[in-house]
Structures are given as C-alpha cells and as structure tokens.
Amino acid sequence: MENLWQIREESFTPQLKHVLSQETVFTIGNGYFCTRGTFDEGYPRATPATLLYGVFDAVPIAKEELANAPDWTGIQIFVNDERFRLDQGKILSYERILDLKSAVITRTVRWESEKGIRIRVVSERFASLADEHVGIIRYSVTREESNDQEDVELLLRAGLNTAQGNYHLMHWETSNQDNKKDVLWLTSETLQSKVTLAQVFSLRTDAPNIQRIVVDSDVEPAIHLRGSLTVGTTMTTEKVLVMYTSRDTGDPLYNALAHHDKLFSENEAAQPYIYDALLAQHREAWKNFWQEADVVLEGDSKAQLGLRYSIYQLRINASDHDDRYSVAAKGMTGFGYRGHIFHDTEIFMLPFYIYVLPEIARNLLLYRYHLLPAAREKAKANGHSGAQYPWESTLNGEETTPPSIIHPESGEVIPVLNGFIELHITSSIAFATNEYWRVTGDNDFLRDYGAELLLSTAIFWGSRAEKNGDHYNISNVIGPDEWHEHVNNNAHTNYMARANIQNALAAYHWLQKNAPEKAQELTTQLGLDDECLAHLQDVSEHIHRSIDPETGLIEQFAGFFKLKKLDQSKYVGRKDSYQGILGMEEIQKYQIVKQADTLMMLTMLRDRFDERIKAANYDYYFPITDHDYGSSLTPAFHAILASELNHPEDAYNMYMKGALVDLENQRGNTPEGIHAASAGAVWQAAIFGIAGLRVNDTGYTTNPCWPQHWQRLAFSFNHKGQRIYVDLHNS
C-alpha cells in the first residue's frame, strides 16, 4: 500500500545534478537549523550545508548570506581499509526515505567492496523538533555473508568538518577545539559578523572490543572507533550533536556542554543509546504539529504527498520563537538567494502561518516591524516620507539586493534594478499585516505594532505618488512581472498601494476608538495631522486605476496592450524562460508575463472585484504567462483564481506545478534550495483555491472547485482564536 507520508528514493542515481537536487529534497530541520540531505560518508562535489536561523556573514556585493556551519553529519567507514562510499564499490540495493510524519530520514544500503566484502549500512537522522539545539544520527553497519568469510576490521570516523563553505566561500574560523571524556567540541566564529558557534557531539556504541581514539584538530576534530566485524554481526553507533550560538546566549560552549550532559543524564536508563528516547520526544512534537497543520487529500496520492511535503518545508524553515529573522526564499535548505528575505514570505508563505500557526505569523511580522527604522531610512534616502521596505533584507533591514548578477540562463552580467524600483514589497508587507489582524483578531498586535507599520507604509505611498491633474501616478517601477522594467502605473503596484492606504486609515480610526492614547502617540510620532490624513485619503481615491468599462480588462501597466503579441507556438519544447530565449531587452517588447501580476492583485484583493472583471483578466493574462519557466512563485497561486472562476483543470495543473517543483526538480534549480514560496502557494491553492475557503468577521464559507478525481479535502484553521475543522467531500 502506498505511503502518503513518505518521500522515497528506491535506487541510487549517480548523476551529479540528481544527487544535488536530492540533497535539497531530503533536508531535515526544526526552525533553528536545517541540514541538507547529503550522505554521511561524503560524495564527490556534494554540497553539505547546515544553516542556522539568522546566522549571517558578510559577502561581496550581496552584503551577507547565511553562513554554512561546520558539517556535523560526517561518518566515514572502512572495511579492511576499503572505504564505503556510494561512488566506490558496488551498490547491491539502495533505499532512502524521508518520513514526513516524523521528519526522519532513513537510508539503507547493501554494498560490496572491490575485494568482495559485503555490508549493510543503515543511517537514520533527524533534527529534533522537541529540542531545537539537537541533531542525531544512528548509524549501523552489518557484515553480510560473502565469498570472504573472515573477520574484517572496521574503522568508523565521525567528526565536525570545518572545510565547508557556501560553495567556495568560507565563513567560519575555528576558535577552540577540545574534548573531555567521550565528548568532543568545536567553537567557531564567523569571519566578519563575529557570531560564535559551539558544536558539541558524542559518539557512542555498545559493540564489544572497540578501540576508541579521539583526534583533536582545528580542521576536523573526530572520534574514531575500531574493531572487528564478523558475519551476521552489527555495530551500531549514535552521534549526538548540540549547537548553540552567541545569538542564543552569552556563553554558547557552556550551554552546549551542559545541554549535552543533560540529554544523557535525563535518559540514563537508555544508555549508551538515547536515540529512541529523543526520537519519541521528536515524534510527539511532530504529531502535535500535524494535528493542526495536516491537510487530508483523498483521490490523488501525488497531490497529497506534494502538499504534505510543502507543509513540512514551511515548518522546518521557520523558528517558532525568534522574531529577529524571517523565512528566506530558499529557507535554510540551500545557498540560493543567500538567505535573503523577499515578499515571498508575506504573500506566499504567511497565509499558512496566519491560519495554522499564528504565533509564528506574529513573529514574522514583528521581524518587519523591528526593521521600520531602516525602512524609514530607505524612504528618506530616496527622497520620500514614511517607510519603504527593501526588496531583499536580512537582519538590519538595509537593502541587500545586489546591484548586478550573472544571468542564470544567458551567463551575462546584468544590472539588478529590483532594489531601486520594485516597490510593491512595501504594500505586500502591509497587506500581510492587515490580513493577520483580520483573521486572528489580535488587537494587541495592531495596537502595539501593526498600526504603526500600516501608517508608515501608507505615508510612503502618499509621498511616492505623483499628482497629475485630477489623479496620481506611480511611475518608473517594476511590478511582479519582472520582465518589464521602468513601467508606469503598474496595476498591481497602484491597487496594492491604494489598499495599503485604505487599511492604514481604517486601522487609525480603530485606534482612535479603541486605543485613543496610542492613536495620539502615532499622530505625534508620524505627523498625522489633518493635512496628512486628507492627502492620504485623496491619493487612495484618485490613484491611477484603469478598467475598461466594456471588456473589464485591467492594463498591466501603461502601454502594455500596445506591445507585440508573442507567438508561443514557435517555442514548443523549450527548456528556458522566454527571457532566457529572447534576452532582457527584447522581451520587454512583448506581451509575455513572467509571473502573476494583475492576476495576483485580483486574487489578493478578491473582495474588491466582481466575477466579470476577474474572468476577463484571467482569460487575457493566463495564456500569456510563462507557467513553466517564468517564476516558480505563482503557478500554484494561479489555482486560487482558477478555482474561483470554476476552471478545475487549470486549477489542478497549476497546483501540481507547485506541488512537484522540487520533488521532481522541474526547473532544474532545486540544488540551490527548495522553493519556499511555492510551498506556501501550494497550501493556498488547496485551501483558498480548490476548497474555496473564505473567512469574514463572523465565520467562514467554502466553495469547492473539485478536480474530477479528488474525493476529499479535510483541514483545520484558526480564526479569531478558535480552531475550526472542515471536511469536504466531492459527492
């Protein structure tokens, strides 16, 4: 029977692109750290990585990136001096399973050395959700019958490898290394940001007649175990890791050592093995999570597995208590986008947290609130008032978008204008702030944080909009469709700016009624006099908005409808985006769209447009969007509007493009990390799209648009502090 909780790899594919992609797919994590699914024994040109939430170091041009910590997963074994590794010897059988229910990876390999020695290796690994500082590997080697029935000598080496960088850039310098009894530790410091990391680990076994050697080293401190292995016997070891950084405590090493000691003292009866005890706690934590977060989808096993995998990724990449950082575009699963935060978080991922894990959603928004001073500085530097958020950010809120990059498809050095003129991230953050308040009813958050953010961003739009006769323009921007630059009156930007201002004014009026002292405080702090408020109201009423009264079409930006139509039939079978094929300059001459732009705005502001307008724009823009090689952000997001307009086939196809983007490496870039925004969009596609969930002040409604073979959708969500359960059937 098919297991709808397991990502399975039933044979080993040695092609490097596949190996690197699977490293991403088999990532484990707990919100404090993530570790890529590299092999314990290593593999040529592998990219092992353990990234910690909010631990950055400086890089040229792009300011800073999540710093790849010394690799804690390494376990090398030798049988009679022959090294076990998947690129050597002969693989007799292979299986790797990521169990999403318990977030445990199990890999089983039967292997024969060049000299005919056969062994069975089982490796199990998890990052504890019950104890975020803990990672553990249980590693077993069994001698199988073979032509050579003599005892073999087994050498097992387990260490902490400092020779790991972000590709070729190193970030850590060893500051101290030592051991005591059976515990070995390493302290490192990032080269520029000066974050200290303490890693403490032990390696234990109850196998008899084992010689133990501790190897001190500033490069790869290790513990070696040496003994003999007879046919039919197994040697089992447990590698228990504890990590702390100076972001957690003033003395990371003391805390890591004490924590490690506590793990064993609390599980004294299980020693030398404590894997099962820690696993039980870890499983209980995941059980509690899935009770709230699971979505049961019957009738389509691949769609179900893709959805659960998306939810798994949303959990392992978000801290449940740290509001100093947020969820990056690739989470902590790879080096893509360097761990920078985009509007991906607020638009694509945050709805999941709002409806399922509102405490995490609150922290993700507090991250943005804490960075208001930097957003105000950015607005001021650009000659505007209020708060303008950077297109990319890390810890201090400064703009971290690189001014230029090497184009991933053409290889040319190209300017990156997003940090200068892609403005809609500011309204995206404001939109998410208002949505959090609307769904959760967290009035304390609105009073203490949200209203200030909404008003500060609204003031920016009031300053950025340019008066032109009886209306306001927003010129020289990049909308969500990043293939068209320096455009004027991008519909998404203008409509979302308007919504930002309207929500801010509504929040201000709420404060005046419910928290008048806070309203007065913000009035003084932000200069909310009658003239300012009147100006904001005027901008919201008269900002440029273009809807053709006959067709209902909204022009994506001024002049878009005058661009040439692209004959897409000429490019059947392509493997690149249209921008990669045509070039950055040429594509701007065509009506071809990278990702949902106008349609995304219609989806986000769904209550402000009637079905005629939505249908007209869907019919126009959906066919001219590059769903395959444009942006991974929006295929699944399109499913929401497709479902609302009763296009079940489109909804299903778009849902599946999101659900399988990483599991099948559909875009060829999964080795750089998972598509976290797509994971969030898949959840939205299922819940807001196919289930048709809508909430209001008094309750909720559903309006399913069923793919023909789907039979059931069951899920729960939070609304104003209440847990609500929904179970829909396709009758």
Side-chain angles (χ1 to χ4, degrees):
M1 182 177 179
E2 191 170 18
N3 191 313
L4 301 181
W5 287 96
Q6 292 185 347
I7 307 299
R8 303 179 69 93
E9 188 179 39
E10 296 181 340
S11 62
F12 178 63
T13 302
Q15 284 83 1
L16 184 62
K17 286 185 178 180
H18 182 79
V19 171
L20 298 180
S21 175
Q22 294 299 84
E23 288 177 7
T24 296
V25 169
F26 283 86
T27 295
I28 58 170
N30 57 17
Y32 179 77
F33 74 93
C34 283
T35 295
R36 284 171 60 83
T38 47
F39 301 126
D40 311 83
E41 309 82 21
Y43 196 82
R45 298 175 65 189
T47 54
T50 291
L51 302 175
L52 295 105
Y53 199 74
V55 176
F56 282 86
D57 196 37
V59 293
I61 302 175
K63 303 292 179 67
E64 58 183 357
E65 66 184 2
L66 290 176
N68 185 11
D71 182 21
W72 66 277
T73 64
I75 298 177
Q76 297 89 40
I77 59 174
F78 299 80
V79 287
N80 283 359
D81 295 327
E82 291 187 273
R83 183 172 182 175
F84 165 71
R85 207 167 70 176
L86 296 184
D87 63 318
Q88 300 177 14
K90 181 180 181 181
I91 298 174
L92 304 176
S93 66
Y94 172 97
E95 181 183 64
R96 182 162 55 162
I97 298 171
L98 167 58
D99 185 83
L100 301 173
K101 184 176 286 187
S102 61
V104 175
I105 293 175
T106 304
R107 189 204 57 183
T108 303
V109 181
R110 293 182 59 248
W111 179 85
E112 183 177 273
S113 74
E114 291 183 2
K115 295 180 180 179
I117 300 171
R118 290 188 177 185
I119 59 174
R120 181 175 182 266
V121 177
V122 180
S123 172
E124 301 168 75
R125 180 193 300 181
F126 67 87
S128 177
L129 193 66
D131 189 341
E132 65 179 15
H133 297 279
V134 175
I136 184 168
I137 300 171
R138 179 160 62 189
Y139 198 90
S140 300
V141 183
T142 302
R143 174 82 189 284
E144 294 193 340
E145 291 186 5
S146 60
N147 294 333
D148 181 3
Q149 296 297 307
E150 298 295 325
D151 293 356
V152 300
E153 183 180 68
L154 175 68
L155 171 63
L156 185 148
R157 303 190 311 209
L160 298 168
N161 185 357
T162 68
Q164 300 295 344
N166 293 46
Y167 296 124
H168 303 298
L169 184 61
M170 306 298 293
H171 285 298
W172 297 90
E173 181 179 31
T174 299
S175 54
N176 187 26
Q177 189 276 307
D178 208 342
N179 71 88
K180 183 178 181 181
K181 294 183 180 179
D182 61 348
V183 178
L184 187 150
W185 67 84
L186 174 77
T187 57
S188 311
E189 186 177 69
T190 50
L191 297 174
Q192 302 295 326
S193 60
K194 303 302 180 185
V195 176
T196 298
L197 167 66
Q199 294 171 294
V200 173
F201 87 92
S202 59
L203 184 71
R204 296 193 176 192
T205 182
D206 66 356
N209 303 317
I210 296 296
Q211 180 186 6
R212 178 188 183 84
I213 302 172
V214 176
V215 180
D216 288 325
S217 167
D218 285 348
V219 177
E220 189 172 9
I223 299 173
H224 294 191
L225 302 179
R226 187 185 297 271
S228 63
L229 202 62
T230 61
V231 173
T233 61
T234 300
M235 177 179 171
T236 297
T237 61
E238 291 183 357
K239 186 177 186 180
V240 180
L241 171 85
V242 176
M243 292 191 292
Y244 276 82
T245 77
S246 53
R247 283 170 50 82
D248 309 317
T249 175
D251 193 339
L253 180 57
Y254 172 83
N255 281 269
L257 287 168
H259 195 143
H260 186 277
D261 288 346
K262 185 179 179 183
L263 290 177
F264 282 90
S265 64
E266 289 181 343
N267 297 282
E268 187 173 0
Q271 294 187 32
Y273 298 135
I274 64 170
Y275 182 94
D276 287 334
L278 298 184
L279 178 61
Q281 299 164 15
H282 170 74
R283 280 179 168 162
E284 184 66 20
W286 275 98
K287 177 184 176 182
N288 293 336
F289 166 75
W290 285 115
Q291 283 177 343
E292 294 187 338
D294 189 26
V295 179
V296 176
L297 191 166
E298 294 182 359
D300 189 331
S301 59
K302 187 174 284 191
Q304 170 72 92
L305 195 59
L307 178 53
R308 283 183 171 143
Y309 184 73
S310 297
I311 295 170
Y312 166 83
Q313 289 292 347
L314 291 167
R315 180 61 191 93
I316 69 171
N317 285 289
S319 171
D320 62 2
H321 61 83
D322 190 343
D323 62 12
R324 298 168 294 173
Y325 182 54
S326 186
V327 185
K330 295 288 188 180
M332 297 179 285
T333 66
F335 303 136
Y337 297 115
R338 302 180 184 274
H340 293 188
I341 309 301
F342 296 74
H343 90 138
D344 302 28
T345 309
E346 281 75 24
I347 299 307
F348 299 100
M349 298 181 244
L350 201 71
F352 166 79
Y353 299 112
I354 290 173
Y355 282 81
V356 179
L357 301 170
E359 298 84 1
I360 291 181
R362 196 179 204 266
N363 284 335
L364 298 177
L365 291 171
L366 284 174
Y367 161 78
R368 295 295 194 182
Y369 174 80
H370 296 326
L371 300 182
L372 266 176
R376 292 188 174 107
E377 285 299 315
K378 181 176 175 68
K380 183 179 178 181
N382 290 331
H384 305 299
S385 304
Q388 178 188 359
Y389 279 94
W391 181 243
E392 299 181 33
S393 66
T394 54
L395 298 182
N396 63 14
E398 295 178 1
E399 181 64 70
T400 55
T401 306
S404 61
I405 62 169
I406 297 175
H407 194 284
E409 291 167 311
S410 69
E412 59 184 324
V413 177
I414 59 172
V416 178
L417 301 176
N418 310 71
F420 301 103
I421 60 175
E422 189 158 4
L423 309 181
H424 62 89
I425 186 170
T426 295
S427 59
S428 295
I429 293 166
F431 177 82
T433 299
N434 194 74
E435 278 294 283
Y436 171 79
W437 178 50
R438 184 181 73 86
V439 174
T440 67
D442 186 349
N443 293 333
D444 291 348
F445 175 85
L446 183 71
R447 180 195 64 219
D448 297 337
Y449 313 107
E452 182 182 348
L453 189 152
L454 288 168
L455 288 162
S456 299
T457 51
I459 291 169
F460 165 72
W461 291 116
S463 172
R464 182 61 170 78
E466 306 135 14
K467 183 80 170 179
N468 181 16
D470 60 354
H471 67 273
Y472 292 86
N473 296 328
I474 299 180
S475 60
N476 191 28
V477 302
I478 299 173
D481 169 24
E482 295 165 330
W483 287 347
H484 296 88
E485 301 173 338
H486 299 295
V487 305
N488 300 324
N489 287 324
N490 169 253
H492 179 99
T493 302
N494 286 23
Y495 274 98
M496 292 302 297
R498 178 175 183 250
N500 189 163
I501 295 172
Q502 291 174 329
N503 289 334
L505 292 175
Y508 183 65
H509 296 320
W510 182 91
L511 282 181
Q512 288 179 314
K513 180 179 180 181
N514 297 283
E517 292 183 359
K518 185 67 177 183
Q520 184 56 51
E521 177 188 327
L522 292 180
T523 298
T524 303
Q525 175 187 344
L526 303 179
L528 298 172
D529 55 23
D530 290 343
E531 182 180 356
C532 175
L533 294 171
H535 175 65
L536 292 177
Q537 184 65 38
D538 191 45
V539 173
S540 73
E541 292 176 359
H542 298 103
I543 196 167
H544 179 88
R545 305 189 303 284
S546 174
I547 301 180
D548 187 300
E550 293 185 8
T551 65
L553 285 177
I554 300 172
E555 190 171 29
Q556 182 172 297
F557 56 79
F560 182 84
F561 289 154
K562 295 179 181 179
L563 300 179
K564 295 183 289 186
K565 298 287 184 69
L566 181 68
D567 183 0
Q568 297 182 59
S569 66
K570 295 180 179 180
Y571 304 96
V572 173
R574 66 193 170 93
K575 297 297 181 182
D576 290 322
S577 72
Y578 286 115
Q579 186 190 60
I581 294 170
L582 299 174
M584 291 187 63
E585 295 299 323
E586 187 68 16
I587 199 169
Q588 301 201 47
K589 301 175 183 178
Y590 290 94
Q591 292 187 45
I592 193 72
V593 180
K594 176 184 179 182
Q595 62 189 39
D597 192 307
T598 302
L599 295 189
M600 183 160 67
M601 178 271 294
L602 291 172
T603 302
M604 294 167 65
L605 303 180
R606 59 179 64 94
D607 294 335
R608 303 182 181 215
F609 299 92
D610 61 30
E611 186 173 335
R612 182 183 76 94
I613 291 173
K614 293 176 183 177
N617 286 277
Y618 181 89
D619 291 344
Y620 192 89
Y621 287 105
F622 187 84
I624 62 172
T625 301
D626 188 351
H627 301 291
D628 295 311
Y629 297 102
S631 171
S632 66
L633 299 180
T634 55
F637 203 76
H638 277 91
I640 304 172
L641 192 55
S643 297
E644 187 175 342
L645 296 172
N646 196 30
H647 299 304
E649 185 174 350
D650 283 351
Y652 175 73
N653 290 336
M654 292 299 102
Y655 170 95
M656 293 303 289
K657 286 182 185 295
L660 302 179
V661 64
D662 290 314
L663 292 176
E664 296 184 353
N665 190 19
Q666 292 183 341
R667 293 168 181 267
N669 56 3
T670 296
E672 298 173 10
I674 59 104
H675 296 78
S678 186
V682 168
W683 183 88
Q684 291 192 62
I687 304 306
F688 301 149
I690 293 168
L693 176 69
R694 302 289 183 268
V695 301
N696 54 42
D697 286 342
T698 59
Y700 76 96
T701 60
T702 58
N703 183 26
C705 176
W706 292 105
Q708 187 173 5
H709 58 294
W710 286 24
Q711 299 166 4
R712 181 186 176 212
L713 269 176
F715 57 93
S716 66
F717 66 94
N718 279 291
H719 184 219
K720 296 188 182 298
Q722 299 295 316
R723 171 68 58 175
I724 297 171
Y725 296 87
V726 179
D727 196 344
L728 304 174
H729 293 262
N730 184 11
S731 56

